[in-house]
Amino acid sequence: MKKFKRILLKLSGESLAGEQKQGINAERLNDYARQIKEIADMGVEIGIVIGGGNIFRGLSGAGKGFDRVKGDQMGMCATVINSLALSSALDAIGQPNIVLTAIRMEPIGEFYTKWKAIEAMKSGKVVIMSAGTGCPYFTTDTGSSLRGIEIEADVMLKGTRVDGIYTADPEKDPKATKFTDITYADVIAKGLKVMDITATAMCMQNNLPIYVFNMDIVGNLKKVIDGENIGTLVHN
Ligand code: UDP
């Protein structure tokens, strides 16, 4: 029995870089593609939003003298590059998929609409929604909250390199403990770095639960769909 019928999977650009921290790690990309196919084969309807932090982030560009809006546009293009990479890896293993873009750029991808995304998901295609929200000053976390709400996903699965939300950064503080579940309000009040406030607030206002888990361990995505409690649930 699968726990979720339709999901929004958020992958960070940084995780796509693997150990090399920048660019795209082919092994990581193929691991992700296989994990996604595994749950598509179970009949889960899958929408995906990928970040672009492994290539470019507007904010860090602004720190180096880039115009913020142009920097953010570069960041959005980075998410399109990552989306095409994932699409290609899914093609290679025979998983039907489509790349939609929040900014018009045919023939790279079709222009996003909610209905196009839902129709494609219902026909068994994995739908990769690229270019974030299409607007500067947002993040792909906000893009995935927005898309998750629009496509009426049951949950946003946030695949990261840690296995959930901790009281402090577990990579820095050995005493940090993990939450099995937490409210959006607590995430914001405690200043936990799960997603930015805009993204968290959107999920809170629209009742989209977030499940944070470690996507870098192969097989974990299926475990989440099977209902295994391996991460942290954020809810109202
Ligand atoms: N971005 C944007 N609007 C959006 C989504 C993303 O301007 O709706 C830009 C922003 O510059 C951001 C970059 O794209 O830094 C890459 O996205 P993000 O930092 O969210 O990637 P991740 O951290 O998930 O790899």
Side-chain angles (χ1 to χ4, degrees), residues 81 101 194:
I81 294 175
T101 62
V194 184

Side-chain angles (χ1 to χ4, degrees), residues 62-203:
K64 293 179 193 135
F66 279 81
D67 173 76
R68 173 69 194 267
V69 172
K70 289 207 165 94
D72 280 341
Q73 288 170 338
M74 290 168 72
M76 286 186 266
C77 289
T79 74
V80 179
I81 294 175
N82 286 336
S83 299
L84 292 173
L86 182 63
S87 167
S88 170
L90 289 168
D91 286 341
I93 55 171
Q95 173 57 51
N97 69 88
I98 183 171
V99 175
L100 301 177
T101 62
I103 301 163
R104 276 197 188 280
M105 51 174 90
E106 289 95 352
I108 286 176
E110 278 183 51
F111 193 43
Y112 167 86
T113 69
K114 161 187 175 164
W115 299 278
K116 220 180 265 176
I118 290 179
E119 196 183 302
M121 282 191 297
K122 283 191 171 157
S123 75
K125 284 184 188 163
V126 169
V127 179
I128 307 169
M129 292 166 281
S130 66
T133 61
C135 299
Y137 295 95
F138 288 103
T139 61
T140 45
D141 278 341
T142 306
S144 53
S145 308
L146 174 65
R147 296 303 183 225
I149 293 159
E150 279 188 280
I151 67 168
E152 298 163 35
D154 301 323
V155 67
M156 182 205 300
L157 301 183
K158 188 167 157 64
T160 67
R161 54 198 169 101
V162 283
D163 64 350
I165 303 171
Y166 282 75
T167 48
D169 184 348
E171 287 173 357
K172 291 185 191 136
D173 182 353
K175 290 203 192 83
T177 54
K178 189 178 128 183
F179 296 99
T180 42
D181 77 296
I182 185 167
T183 62
Y184 306 103
D186 271 351
V187 166
I188 295 172
K190 291 180 199 293
L192 299 172
K193 289 188 180 55
V194 184
M195 302 203 302
D196 54 86
I197 295 174
T198 318
T200 310
M202 272 203 78
C203 290

